[in-house]
């Protein structure tokens, strides 16, 4: 597990804490849950002009 610091606006923090309370999750668990849900819900879109979306072997 990796730990990192994240700066977010106060209103977003408040919303995340409230969402977590409603779902009986900690702030951390709520953020992880939302990120995992977003990752599985959205198919990976590849922009051929964006080197960040290319596999490492295809990057110049």
């Amino acid at each position: 597990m990796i730990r990192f610091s994240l700066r977010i606006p106060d209103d977003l923090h408040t919303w995340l804490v409230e969402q977590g309370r409603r779902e009986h999750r900690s702030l951390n668990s709520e953020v992880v849950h939302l990120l995992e849900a977003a990752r599985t819900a959205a198919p990976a879109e590849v922009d051929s002009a964006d080197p960040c979306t290319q596999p490492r072997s295809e990057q110049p």
Side-chain angles (χ1 to χ4, degrees):
M1 184 89 35
I2 297 172
R3 294 185 74 162
F4 72 99
S5 181
L6 177 65
R7 293 185 185 118
I8 59 174
D10 291 339
D11 61 329
L12 181 56
H13 177 267
T14 300
W15 181 81
L16 287 166
V17 169
E18 290 171 359
Q19 282 290 114
R21 282 189 187 139
R22 279 194 287 273
E23 299 297 327
H24 306 285
R25 288 191 274 264
S26 67
L27 171 61
N28 186 77
S29 294
E30 183 65 16
V31 170
V32 170
H33 170 77
L34 292 170
L35 289 171
E36 288 177 340
R39 180 178 64 175
T40 58
E45 293 183 23
V46 176
D47 179 356
S48 61
D50 183 357
C52 293
T53 62
Q54 300 303 310
R56 288 184 181 261
S57 60
E58 294 179 19
Q59 290 182 5

Coordinates of all heavy atoms in Angstrom, one line a residue:
M1 N 0.9 -1.2 0.0 CA 0.0 0.0 0.0 C 0.9 1.2 0.0 O 1.9 1.3 0.8 CB -0.9 0.0 1.2 CG -1.9 1.1 1.3 SD -3.5 0.9 0.6 CE -4.0 -0.8 0.8
I2 N 0.6 2.2 -0.8 CA 1.3 3.4 -0.9 C 0.6 4.6 -0.2 O -0.6 4.7 -0.4 CB 1.6 3.8 -2.4 CG1 2.4 2.7 -3.1 CG2 2.2 5.2 -2.6 CD1 2.5 2.9 -4.6
R3 N 1.4 5.3 0.5 CA 0.8 6.5 1.2 C 1.3 7.8 0.4 O 2.4 7.8 0.0 CB 1.3 6.6 2.6 CG 0.8 5.5 3.5 CD 1.2 5.8 4.9 NE 0.4 6.8 5.4 CZ 0.3 7.1 6.7 NH1 0.9 6.5 7.6 NH2 -0.5 8.1 7.0
F4 N 0.3 8.7 0.2 CA 0.7 10.0 -0.4 C -0.2 11.1 0.1 O -1.3 10.8 0.6 CB 0.8 9.9 -1.9 CG -0.6 9.8 -2.5 CD1 -1.2 11.0 -3.1 CD2 -1.3 8.6 -2.6 CE1 -2.4 10.9 -3.7 CE2 -2.6 8.6 -3.2 CZ -3.1 9.7 -3.7
S5 N 0.3 12.3 0.0 CA -0.4 13.4 0.4 C -1.2 14.0 -0.7 O -0.6 14.1 -1.9 CB 0.6 14.5 1.0 OG -0.1 15.6 1.5
L6 N -2.4 14.5 -0.5 CA -3.2 15.0 -1.6 C -3.9 16.3 -1.1 O -4.5 16.3 0.0 CB -4.3 14.0 -1.9 CG -5.3 14.4 -3.0 CD1 -4.6 14.6 -4.3 CD2 -6.4 13.4 -3.1
R7 N -3.7 17.4 -1.8 CA -4.4 18.6 -1.5 C -5.7 18.7 -2.3 O -5.7 18.6 -3.5 CB -3.5 19.8 -1.9 CG -2.2 19.8 -1.0 CD -1.4 21.1 -1.3 NE -0.2 21.1 -0.6 CZ 1.0 21.0 -1.1 NH1 1.2 21.1 -2.4 NH2 2.1 21.0 -0.4
I8 N -6.8 18.9 -1.5 CA -8.1 19.1 -2.2 C -8.8 20.3 -1.6 O -8.5 20.7 -0.4 CB -8.9 17.8 -2.1 CG1 -9.2 17.5 -0.6 CG2 -8.3 16.7 -2.8 CD1 -10.1 16.3 -0.4
P9 N -9.7 20.9 -2.3 CA -10.5 22.0 -1.8 C -11.3 21.6 -0.6 O -11.7 20.4 -0.5 CB -11.4 22.4 -3.0 CG -10.7 21.8 -4.2 CD -10.0 20.6 -3.7
D10 N -11.5 22.6 0.3 CA -12.3 22.3 1.5 C -13.7 21.7 1.2 O -14.1 20.8 1.9 CB -12.4 23.6 2.4 CG -11.1 24.0 3.0 OD1 -10.2 23.2 3.1 OD2 -11.1 25.2 3.3
D11 N -14.3 22.2 0.2 CA -15.7 21.8 -0.1 C -15.7 20.3 -0.6 O -16.6 19.6 -0.2 CB -16.4 22.7 -1.0 CG -15.7 22.8 -2.4 OD1 -14.5 22.7 -2.5 OD2 -16.5 23.0 -3.4
L12 N -14.7 20.0 -1.3 CA -14.6 18.6 -1.8 C -14.3 17.6 -0.6 O -14.8 16.5 -0.5 CB -13.5 18.4 -2.9 CG -13.3 17.1 -3.4 CD1 -14.6 16.5 -4.0 CD2 -12.2 17.1 -4.5
H13 N -13.4 18.1 0.3 CA -13.1 17.3 1.5 C -14.4 17.0 2.3 O -14.7 15.9 2.7 CB -12.1 18.0 2.4 CG -11.8 17.3 3.6 ND1 -12.4 17.6 4.8 CD2 -10.9 16.3 3.9 CE1 -12.0 16.8 5.7 NE2 -11.0 16.0 5.2
T14 N -15.2 18.1 2.5 CA -16.4 18.0 3.3 C -17.4 17.0 2.6 O -18.0 16.2 3.2 CB -17.1 19.4 3.4 OG1 -16.2 20.3 4.1 CG2 -18.4 19.3 4.1
W15 N -17.5 17.1 1.3 CA -18.4 16.2 0.5 C -17.9 14.8 0.6 O -18.7 13.9 0.9 CB -18.4 16.6 -1.0 CG -19.3 15.8 -1.8 CD1 -20.7 15.9 -1.9 CD2 -18.9 14.7 -2.6 NE1 -21.1 14.9 -2.7 CE2 -20.1 14.1 -3.2 CE3 -17.7 14.1 -2.9 CZ2 -20.1 13.0 -4.0 CZ3 -17.7 13.0 -3.7 CH2 -18.8 12.5 -4.3
L16 N -16.6 14.5 0.5 CA -16.1 13.2 0.6 C -16.3 12.6 2.0 O -16.7 11.4 2.2 CB -14.6 13.1 0.3 CG -14.2 13.3 -1.1 CD1 -12.7 13.6 -1.3 CD2 -14.6 12.1 -1.9
V17 N -16.1 13.4 3.1 CA -16.4 12.9 4.4 C -17.8 12.6 4.6 O -18.2 11.5 5.2 CB -15.9 14.0 5.5 CG1 -16.4 13.7 6.9 CG2 -14.4 14.2 5.5
E18 N -18.7 13.4 4.1 CA -20.2 13.2 4.2 C -20.6 11.9 3.4 O -21.4 11.1 3.9 CB -21.0 14.4 3.7 CG -20.9 15.6 4.7 CD -21.5 16.9 4.1 OE1 -22.0 16.8 3.0 OE2 -21.4 17.9 4.8
Q19 N -20.0 11.8 2.2 CA -20.3 10.6 1.4 C -19.8 9.3 2.2 O -20.5 8.3 2.3 CB -19.6 10.6 0.1 CG -20.2 11.5 -0.9 CD -21.5 10.9 -1.4 OE1 -22.6 11.5 -1.2 NE2 -21.5 9.8 -2.1
G20 N -18.7 9.4 2.8 CA -18.1 8.3 3.5 C -19.0 7.9 4.7 O -19.3 6.7 5.0
R21 N -19.4 8.9 5.4 CA -20.3 8.7 6.6 C -21.6 8.0 6.2 O -22.1 7.1 6.8 CB -20.6 10.0 7.3 CG -19.5 10.5 8.2 CD -19.9 11.6 9.0 NE -18.7 12.2 9.7 CZ -18.5 13.4 9.9 NH1 -19.3 14.4 9.4 NH2 -17.4 13.8 10.5
R22 N -22.2 8.5 5.1 CA -23.4 7.9 4.6 C -23.2 6.4 4.2 O -24.1 5.6 4.3 CB -24.0 8.6 3.4 CG -24.7 9.9 3.7 CD -25.5 10.4 2.5 NE -24.6 11.0 1.5 CZ -24.2 12.3 1.6 NH1 -24.6 13.1 2.5 NH2 -23.5 12.8 0.6
E23 N -22.1 6.1 3.7 CA -21.8 4.7 3.3 C -21.0 3.9 4.3 O -20.5 2.8 4.0 CB -21.0 4.8 2.0 CG -21.7 5.4 0.8 CD -22.9 4.7 0.4 OE1 -23.0 3.5 0.5 OE2 -23.9 5.4 0.0
H24 N -20.9 4.5 5.5 CA -20.2 3.8 6.6 C -18.7 3.5 6.2 O -18.2 2.4 6.5 CB -20.9 2.6 7.1 CG -22.3 2.8 7.4 ND1 -22.7 3.5 8.6 CD2 -23.5 2.6 6.7 CE1 -24.0 3.6 8.6 NE2 -24.5 3.1 7.5
R25 N -18.1 4.5 5.6 CA -16.7 4.3 5.2 C -15.9 5.5 5.8 O -16.4 6.6 5.9 CB -16.5 4.3 3.7 CG -17.0 3.0 3.0 CD -16.6 2.9 1.6 NE -17.5 3.6 0.7 CZ -18.4 3.0 0.0 NH1 -18.7 1.8 0.1 NH2 -19.2 3.7 -0.8
S26 N -14.6 5.2 6.0 CA -13.7 6.3 6.3 C -13.4 7.2 5.1 O -13.8 6.8 4.0 CB -12.3 5.8 6.8 OG -11.7 5.2 5.8
L27 N -12.8 8.4 5.3 CA -12.5 9.2 4.2 C -11.6 8.5 3.2 O -11.8 8.5 2.0 CB -11.8 10.5 4.7 CG -11.2 11.4 3.7 CD1 -12.2 11.9 2.7 CD2 -10.4 12.5 4.3
N28 N -10.6 7.8 3.7 CA -9.7 7.1 2.9 C -10.4 6.0 2.1 O -10.2 5.9 0.9 CB -8.5 6.5 3.7 CG -7.5 5.8 2.8 OD1 -6.7 6.5 2.2 ND2 -7.6 4.5 2.7
S29 N -11.2 5.2 2.8 CA -12.0 4.2 2.1 C -12.9 4.7 1.1 O -13.1 4.1 0.0 CB -12.7 3.3 3.1 OG -11.9 2.6 4.0
E30 N -13.5 5.8 1.3 CA -14.4 6.4 0.4 C -13.7 6.9 -0.9 O -14.1 6.6 -2.0 CB -15.2 7.6 1.0 CG -16.2 8.3 0.1 CD -17.4 7.3 -0.3 OE1 -17.6 6.3 0.4 OE2 -18.1 7.7 -1.3
V31 N -12.5 7.5 -0.7 CA -11.7 8.0 -1.9 C -11.3 6.7 -2.7 O -11.4 6.7 -3.9 CB -10.5 8.8 -1.4 CG1 -9.6 9.0 -2.6 CG2 -11.0 10.1 -0.8
V32 N -10.8 5.7 -2.0 CA -10.4 4.5 -2.8 C -11.6 3.9 -3.5 O -11.5 3.5 -4.6 CB -9.7 3.5 -1.8 CG1 -9.5 2.1 -2.5 CG2 -8.4 4.0 -1.3
H33 N -12.7 3.8 -2.8 CA -13.9 3.2 -3.4 C -14.3 4.0 -4.7 O -14.6 3.4 -5.7 CB -15.1 3.3 -2.4 CG -16.4 2.9 -3.0 ND1 -16.8 1.6 -3.3 CD2 -17.4 3.7 -3.4 CE1 -18.0 1.7 -3.9 NE2 -18.4 2.9 -3.9
L34 N -14.3 5.3 -4.6 CA -14.7 6.1 -5.7 C -13.7 6.0 -6.9 O -14.1 6.0 -8.1 CB -14.9 7.6 -5.3 CG -16.1 7.9 -4.4 CD1 -16.0 9.3 -3.9 CD2 -17.4 7.6 -5.1
L35 N -12.5 6.0 -6.6 CA -11.4 5.8 -7.6 C -11.6 4.4 -8.3 O -11.5 4.3 -9.5 CB -10.0 6.0 -7.1 CG -9.7 7.4 -6.7 CD1 -8.4 7.4 -5.9 CD2 -9.6 8.3 -7.9
E36 N -11.8 3.4 -7.5 CA -11.9 2.0 -8.1 C -13.2 2.0 -8.9 O -13.2 1.4 -10.0 CB -11.9 1.0 -7.0 CG -10.6 0.8 -6.4 CD -10.6 -0.2 -5.2 OE1 -11.7 -0.5 -4.7 OE2 -9.5 -0.7 -4.9
A37 N -14.3 2.6 -8.5 CA -15.5 2.6 -9.2 C -15.4 3.3 -10.5 O -15.8 2.9 -11.6 CB -16.7 3.2 -8.4
A38 N -14.7 4.4 -10.5 CA -14.4 5.2 -11.8 C -13.6 4.4 -12.7 O -13.8 4.4 -13.9 CB -13.8 6.5 -11.4
R39 N -12.6 3.7 -12.2 CA -11.7 2.9 -13.0 C -12.4 1.8 -13.7 O -12.2 1.5 -14.9 CB -10.5 2.3 -12.2 CG -9.6 1.5 -13.0 CD -8.4 1.0 -12.2 NE -8.9 0.1 -11.2 CZ -8.0 -0.6 -10.4 NH1 -6.7 -0.4 -10.5 NH2 -8.5 -1.4 -9.5
T40 N -13.3 1.1 -13.0 CA -14.0 0.0 -13.6 C -15.2 0.4 -14.5 O -15.6 -0.3 -15.4 CB -14.5 -1.0 -12.6 OG1 -15.4 -0.3 -11.7 CG2 -13.4 -1.6 -11.8
A41 N -15.8 1.6 -14.2 CA -16.9 2.1 -15.0 C -16.5 2.6 -16.3 O -17.3 2.5 -17.3 CB -17.7 3.1 -14.2
A42 N -15.4 3.3 -16.4 CA -15.0 3.9 -17.7 C -14.0 3.0 -18.4 O -13.0 2.7 -17.9 CB -14.3 5.3 -17.4
P43 N -14.3 2.7 -19.7 CA -13.3 2.0 -20.5 C -12.1 2.8 -20.7 O -12.2 4.1 -20.8 CB -14.1 1.7 -21.8 CG -15.1 2.7 -21.9 CD -15.5 3.1 -20.4
A44 N -11.0 2.2 -20.8 CA -9.7 2.9 -21.0 C -9.8 3.6 -22.4 O -9.9 2.9 -23.4 CB -8.6 2.0 -20.9
E45 N -9.7 4.9 -22.4 CA -9.7 5.6 -23.7 C -8.3 5.9 -24.1 O -7.5 6.3 -23.2 CB -10.5 6.9 -23.6 CG -12.0 6.6 -23.4 CD -12.8 7.9 -23.3 OE1 -12.3 8.9 -23.9 OE2 -13.9 7.9 -22.8
V46 N -8.0 5.6 -25.3 CA -6.6 5.8 -25.7 C -6.6 6.9 -26.8 O -7.3 6.9 -27.8 CB -6.0 4.5 -26.3 CG1 -4.6 4.8 -26.9 CG2 -6.0 3.5 -25.3
D47 N -5.8 8.0 -26.5 CA -5.7 9.1 -27.4 C -4.3 8.9 -28.1 O -3.3 9.0 -27.5 CB -5.7 10.4 -26.7 CG -5.5 11.6 -27.6 OD1 -5.3 11.4 -28.8 OD2 -5.7 12.7 -27.1
S48 N -4.3 8.6 -29.4 CA -3.1 8.3 -30.1 C -2.1 9.5 -30.1 O -0.9 9.3 -30.3 CB -3.3 7.8 -31.5 OG -4.0 8.8 -32.2
A49 N -2.6 10.7 -29.9 CA -1.7 11.9 -29.8 C -1.1 12.1 -28.5 O -0.2 12.9 -28.3 CB -2.5 13.1 -30.3
D50 N -1.6 11.4 -27.5 CA -1.1 11.6 -26.1 C -0.2 10.5 -25.7 O -0.6 9.4 -25.5 CB -2.3 11.7 -25.1 CG -2.0 12.0 -23.7 OD1 -0.8 12.1 -23.4 OD2 -2.9 12.1 -22.9
P51 N 1.1 10.8 -25.5 CA 2.1 9.8 -25.2 C 1.8 9.2 -23.8 O 2.2 8.0 -23.5 CB 3.4 10.5 -25.2 CG 3.1 11.9 -25.1 CD 1.7 12.1 -25.7
C52 N 1.1 9.9 -22.9 CA 0.8 9.3 -21.6 C -0.2 8.2 -21.6 O -0.3 7.4 -20.7 CB 0.2 10.4 -20.7 SG 1.4 11.7 -20.3
T53 N -1.0 8.0 -22.7 CA -1.9 6.9 -22.8 C -1.4 5.8 -23.6 O -2.1 4.8 -23.8 CB -3.3 7.4 -23.5 OG1 -3.0 7.9 -24.8 CG2 -3.9 8.5 -22.7
Q54 N -0.2 5.8 -24.1 CA 0.4 4.8 -24.9 C 1.2 3.8 -23.9 O 1.8 4.3 -22.9 CB 1.4 5.4 -25.9 CG 0.7 6.3 -26.9 CD -0.4 5.6 -27.6 OE1 -0.3 4.6 -28.1 NE2 -1.6 6.3 -27.6
P55 N 1.2 2.5 -24.3 CA 2.1 1.6 -23.5 C 3.5 2.1 -23.6 O 4.0 2.7 -24.6 CB 1.9 0.3 -24.2 CG 0.6 0.4 -25.0 CD 0.5 1.9 -25.3
R56 N 4.3 1.8 -22.6 CA 5.7 2.3 -22.5 C 6.5 1.8 -23.7 O 7.3 2.6 -24.2 CB 6.4 1.8 -21.2 CG 5.9 2.5 -20.0 CD 6.7 2.0 -18.8 NE 6.2 2.6 -17.6 CZ 6.8 3.7 -17.0 NH1 7.9 4.2 -17.6 NH2 6.3 4.2 -16.0
S57 N 6.2 0.7 -24.2 CA 7.0 0.2 -25.4 C 6.8 1.0 -26.6 O 7.6 1.0 -27.6 CB 6.7 -1.3 -25.7 OG 5.3 -1.4 -26.0
E58 N 5.6 1.7 -26.7 CA 5.3 2.5 -27.9 C 5.7 4.0 -27.7 O 5.6 4.8 -28.7 CB 3.8 2.4 -28.2 CG 3.4 1.0 -28.6 CD 1.9 1.0 -28.9 OE1 1.3 2.0 -29.1 OE2 1.4 -0.1 -28.9
Q59 N 6.1 4.4 -26.5 CA 6.5 5.8 -26.3 C 7.8 6.1 -26.9 O 8.7 5.2 -26.9 CB 6.5 6.1 -24.9 CG 5.1 6.2 -24.2 CD 5.2 6.5 -22.8 OE1 6.2 6.9 -22.2 NE2 4.0 6.5 -22.1
P60 N 8.0 7.3 -27.5 CA 9.3 7.6 -28.1 C 10.4 7.7 -27.1 O 10.3 7.9 -26.0 CB 9.1 8.9 -28.8 CG 7.8 9.4 -28.4 CD 7.1 8.3 -27.7

